[in-house]
Amino acid sequence: MLNIDMRKIYNFYALEPAPAPDALPTGGDIYYECLDCTGIVSSVPHIKAACTCGNLSGNGGQVSIKDATRVRVVRGKLK
Ligand SMILES: [Zn+2]
């Protein structure tokens, strides 16, 4: 799998207040950061994407999350 280092392209800022784990927002500039492996996956992934530990995996515009309490919602801004 091709894994792009998103941090080279975007700056990420945590959403305040942090959304509830059972009601995570989605959007074109919303990303999920895995707190276990620090991987970043888009909240609306149009290409196959996953964090290295497997907590987050996405494809076809949707993300499956194994443990939503180990996810930080961040907003991505192009550098
Ligand atoms: Zn992970």
Side-chain angles (χ1 to χ4, degrees):
M1 182 193 310
L2 178 67
N3 243 330
I4 301 164
D5 187 352
M6 305 285 286
R7 291 170 201 280
K8 288 187 176 160
I9 309 168
Y10 292 94
N11 286 315
F12 291 105
Y13 305 93
L15 256 61
E16 296 288 344
D22 60 352
L24 298 180
T26 62
D29 62 344
I30 301 292
Y31 296 79
Y32 300 150
E33 177 182 25
C34 176
L35 297 179
D36 287 333
C37 71
T38 74
I40 299 250
V41 174
S42 165
S43 67
V44 284
H46 295 297
I47 56 168
K48 198 162 187 251
C51 70
T52 50
C53 77
N55 187 30
L56 300 169
S57 59
N59 201 1
Q62 294 209 311
V63 183
S64 13
I65 301 171
K66 287 191 181 139
D67 184 353
T69 65
R70 300 295 298 151
V71 173
R72 177 186 292 139
V73 182
V74 295
R75 192 179 299 277
K77 292 204 166 84
L78 279 170
K79 286 187 176 175

